[in-house]
Amino acid sequence: MGNITLPNDQNITPETLKSLGRYDFPDPTSIDPEGIGLVAMGGDLASDTLISAYAQGLFPWFNEDEPIAWWCPEPRCVVVPSDYQPSKSLRKQARRERWQLTLNQAFDDVIRACSLPRSDGLPEGEHTWIHEEMIEAYTNLHAQGFAHSIEVWNDQGQLIGGLYGLKLGGIYFGESMFHYVSNASKLAFWGLMRLCEQSQVALVDCQLPNDHLMSLGATTVPRAEFLTQLDTLIRAGSVKWQKDAYIPLPVSLLDTPTPWQRKLS
């Protein structure tokens, strides 16, 4: 299937999204009662397949040249944007930096930066699990208005950090983040939290817990609880994140009441 045509975030229903594509994904709690996390193998990364999977709480995670693996971990790592509190040191840095945040201005650069090895021991030049097949799939989702990036730019206009993921109704599925300068990804994450608050996105899915995410305020919930919430969150809808909908945001304004300012139509 090519481009996905849906009315808008206010009219998306879980049933519509789950029915996309040609695969019937199994119920995670039935197929994986022990909570290992692996739910299905095979299929493809077509846009309709991906949207259907995410609407059912699944996401792809596999190495290049391996079969596509679909996961729904137990427990699930999440962040409630309205509960997020940046550290005192991050607030202090934001006030003094002349950096800017943007939305959807450099998706390809962000996902490719996220794909590069960091401190995980990969040989130089080798990519992470975000390989070319994944990059193409999520770039297609971005072109169709489902995948979104937040970028951090220094005062010379250079990209120094960012993150990307998918938004369906009132939930954002975070995929990956990167930084070239210390704390740039944390500022992107803070920007995401504030944008979610302003646009009725009530939950950010972080998939699997790790020390970095937990330090940013993430927590874990039982998989069954997450899946129960998912339909409600999708149905709730939210403000659309169109490419040129928001004015670039100085990071020094992150702590103001409504930092992300929409452009006048």
Side-chain angles (χ1 to χ4, degrees), residues 93-125:
Q93 181 176 5
R95 286 194 296 268
R96 72 168 184 264
E97 297 291 1
R98 291 164 47 186
W99 301 346
Q100 286 194 328
L101 298 175
T102 56
L103 173 67
N104 291 329
Q105 295 302 305
F107 185 90
D108 187 68
D109 292 334
V110 168
I111 192 171
R112 289 192 176 278
C114 288
S115 78
L116 297 176
R118 293 177 280 272
S119 58
D120 47 16
L122 290 174
E124 184 177 356

Coordinates of all heavy atoms in Angstrom, one line a residue, residues 93-125:
Q93 N 21.1 25.5 31.9 CA 21.7 25.5 30.6 C 20.8 26.1 29.6 O 21.2 26.9 28.7 CB 22.1 24.1 30.2 CG 22.8 24.1 28.8 CD 23.3 22.7 28.5 OE1 23.1 21.7 29.2 NE2 24.0 22.6 27.3
A94 N 19.5 25.8 29.6 CA 18.5 26.3 28.6 C 18.5 27.8 28.7 O 18.4 28.5 27.6 CB 17.2 25.7 28.9
R95 N 18.5 28.4 29.9 CA 18.4 29.8 30.0 C 19.6 30.6 29.4 O 19.5 31.7 28.9 CB 18.3 30.2 31.5 CG 16.9 29.9 32.1 CD 16.7 30.6 33.4 NE 17.7 30.1 34.4 CZ 17.4 29.2 35.3 NH1 16.2 28.5 35.2 NH2 18.3 28.8 36.2
R96 N 20.8 29.9 29.4 CA 22.0 30.6 28.9 C 22.3 30.3 27.4 O 23.1 31.1 26.8 CB 23.2 30.3 29.8 CG 23.7 28.9 29.6 CD 25.1 28.7 30.3 NE 25.7 27.4 30.1 CZ 25.5 26.3 30.9 NH1 24.9 26.5 32.0 NH2 26.1 25.2 30.6
E97 N 21.8 29.2 26.9 CA 22.1 28.9 25.5 C 21.3 29.7 24.5 O 20.2 30.1 24.8 CB 21.9 27.4 25.2 CG 22.7 26.4 26.1 CD 24.2 26.4 25.7 OE1 24.6 27.2 24.8 OE2 24.9 25.7 26.3
R98 N 21.9 29.9 23.3 CA 21.2 30.6 22.2 C 20.8 29.6 21.2 O 20.8 29.9 20.0 CB 22.1 31.7 21.7 CG 22.3 32.9 22.6 CD 23.5 33.8 22.3 NE 23.5 34.1 20.9 CZ 24.5 34.8 20.3 NH1 25.5 35.2 21.0 NH2 24.5 35.1 19.0
W99 N 20.5 28.4 21.6 CA 20.1 27.4 20.6 C 18.6 27.5 20.3 O 17.9 28.2 21.1 CB 20.4 26.0 21.2 CG 21.8 25.7 21.6 CD1 22.9 26.5 21.2 CD2 22.3 24.7 22.4 NE1 24.1 25.9 21.7 CE2 23.7 24.8 22.4 CE3 21.7 23.6 23.0 CZ2 24.5 23.9 23.1 CZ3 22.5 22.7 23.8 CH2 23.9 22.9 23.8
Q100 N 18.2 26.8 19.3 CA 16.8 26.8 18.9 C 16.3 25.4 18.6 O 17.1 24.5 18.2 CB 16.6 27.6 17.6 CG 16.7 29.1 17.8 CD 16.1 29.9 16.6 OE1 16.2 29.4 15.5 NE2 15.5 31.1 16.9
L101 N 15.0 25.2 18.9 CA 14.3 23.9 18.6 C 13.4 24.2 17.4 O 12.8 25.2 17.3 CB 13.5 23.5 19.8 CG 14.2 23.1 21.1 CD1 13.1 22.8 22.1 CD2 15.1 22.0 20.9
T102 N 13.4 23.2 16.5 CA 12.4 23.2 15.4 C 11.7 21.8 15.3 O 12.1 20.8 15.9 CB 13.1 23.5 14.1 OG1 14.1 22.5 13.8 CG2 13.7 24.8 14.0
L103 N 10.6 21.9 14.6 CA 9.7 20.7 14.4 C 9.7 20.3 13.0 O 9.3 21.1 12.1 CB 8.3 20.9 15.0 CG 7.3 19.8 14.7 CD1 7.6 18.6 15.5 CD2 5.9 20.3 15.1
N104 N 10.1 19.1 12.7 CA 10.0 18.5 11.3 C 10.7 19.3 10.2 O 10.3 19.4 9.1 CB 8.5 18.5 10.9 CG 7.7 17.4 11.7 OD1 8.2 16.4 12.1 ND2 6.4 17.7 11.9
Q105 N 11.9 19.9 10.6 CA 12.6 20.7 9.6 C 13.8 19.9 9.1 O 14.4 20.3 8.1 CB 13.1 22.0 10.3 CG 12.0 22.9 10.6 CD 11.2 23.3 9.5 OE1 11.6 23.8 8.5 NE2 9.8 23.1 9.6
A106 N 14.2 18.8 9.7 CA 15.4 18.0 9.2 C 15.2 16.5 9.6 O 16.1 15.9 10.2 CB 16.7 18.6 9.8
F107 N 14.1 16.0 9.2 CA 13.8 14.6 9.7 C 14.9 13.6 9.2 O 15.4 12.8 9.9 CB 12.4 14.1 9.2 CG 12.0 12.8 9.7 CD1 11.3 12.6 10.8 CD2 12.4 11.6 8.9 CE1 11.0 11.4 11.3 CE2 12.0 10.3 9.4 CZ 11.3 10.2 10.6
D108 N 15.3 13.7 7.9 CA 16.3 12.8 7.4 C 17.6 12.9 8.1 O 18.2 11.9 8.4 CB 16.4 13.1 5.9 CG 17.3 12.0 5.2 OD1 16.9 10.9 5.1 OD2 18.5 12.4 4.8
D109 N 18.0 14.1 8.4 CA 19.3 14.3 9.1 C 19.2 13.7 10.5 O 20.1 13.1 11.0 CB 19.6 15.8 9.2 CG 20.0 16.4 7.9 OD1 20.4 15.7 7.0 OD2 19.8 17.6 7.7
V110 N 18.0 13.9 11.2 CA 17.9 13.4 12.5 C 17.9 11.8 12.5 O 18.6 11.2 13.3 CB 16.6 13.9 13.1 CG1 16.3 13.1 14.4 CG2 16.7 15.4 13.4
I111 N 17.1 11.2 11.7 CA 17.1 9.7 11.7 C 18.4 9.1 11.3 O 18.9 8.1 11.9 CB 15.9 9.2 10.8 CG1 15.7 7.7 11.1 CG2 16.2 9.4 9.4 CD1 14.5 7.1 10.5
R112 N 19.2 9.8 10.4 CA 20.5 9.3 10.0 C 21.5 9.5 11.2 O 22.4 8.6 11.4 CB 20.9 9.9 8.7 CG 20.1 9.4 7.5 CD 20.7 9.7 6.2 NE 19.9 9.1 5.1 CZ 20.0 7.9 4.7 NH1 20.9 7.1 5.2 NH2 19.2 7.4 3.8
A113 N 21.4 10.6 11.9 CA 22.2 10.8 13.0 C 22.0 9.8 14.1 O 22.9 9.2 14.8 CB 22.1 12.2 13.6
C114 N 20.7 9.4 14.3 CA 20.3 8.4 15.3 C 20.8 7.1 14.9 O 21.0 6.2 15.8 CB 18.8 8.4 15.5 SG 18.1 9.8 16.3
S115 N 21.0 6.8 13.6 CA 21.4 5.5 13.1 C 22.9 5.2 13.3 O 23.4 4.1 13.3 CB 21.1 5.3 11.7 OG 22.0 6.0 10.8
L116 N 23.7 6.3 13.6 CA 25.1 6.1 13.7 C 25.5 5.6 15.1 O 24.9 5.8 16.1 CB 25.8 7.4 13.4 CG 25.6 8.0 12.0 CD1 26.3 9.4 11.9 CD2 26.2 7.1 11.0
P117 N 26.6 4.8 15.1 CA 27.1 4.2 16.4 C 27.5 5.3 17.4 O 28.0 6.4 17.0 CB 28.2 3.3 16.0 CG 28.7 3.9 14.7 CD 27.5 4.4 14.0
R118 N 27.2 5.1 18.6 CA 27.7 6.0 19.7 C 28.7 5.3 20.6 O 29.8 5.0 20.2 CB 26.5 6.6 20.4 CG 25.6 7.5 19.5 CD 24.3 8.0 20.2 NE 23.3 7.0 20.2 CZ 22.4 6.8 19.3 NH1 22.4 7.6 18.2 NH2 21.4 5.9 19.4
S119 N 28.3 5.0 21.8 CA 29.2 4.3 22.7 C 28.8 2.8 22.9 O 29.0 2.3 23.9 CB 29.2 5.0 24.1 OG 27.8 5.0 24.6
D120 N 28.3 2.2 21.8 CA 27.8 0.8 21.9 C 28.8 -0.2 21.4 O 28.4 -1.4 21.2 CB 26.4 0.7 21.3 CG 26.4 1.3 19.9 OD1 27.5 1.6 19.3 OD2 25.3 1.6 19.3
G121 N 30.0 0.2 21.0 CA 31.0 -0.7 20.6 C 30.9 -1.1 19.1 O 31.6 -2.0 18.7
L122 N 30.0 -0.5 18.3 CA 30.0 -0.9 16.9 C 31.2 -0.4 16.2 O 31.7 0.7 16.5 CB 28.7 -0.3 16.3 CG 27.4 -0.9 16.7 CD1 26.2 0.0 16.1 CD2 27.2 -2.3 16.3
P123 N 31.6 -1.1 15.2 CA 32.8 -0.7 14.4 C 32.4 0.7 13.7 O 31.3 1.0 13.4 CB 33.0 -1.8 13.3 CG 32.3 -3.0 13.9 CD 31.2 -2.4 14.8
E124 N 33.5 1.5 13.5 CA 33.3 2.8 12.9 C 32.6 2.6 11.5 O 33.0 1.8 10.7 CB 34.6 3.5 12.7 CG 34.5 4.9 12.2 CD 35.8 5.6 12.1 OE1 36.8 5.0 12.5 OE2 35.8 6.7 11.5
G125 N 31.5 3.4 11.3 CA 30.8 3.4 10.1 C 29.7 2.4 10.0 O 28.8 2.5 9.1

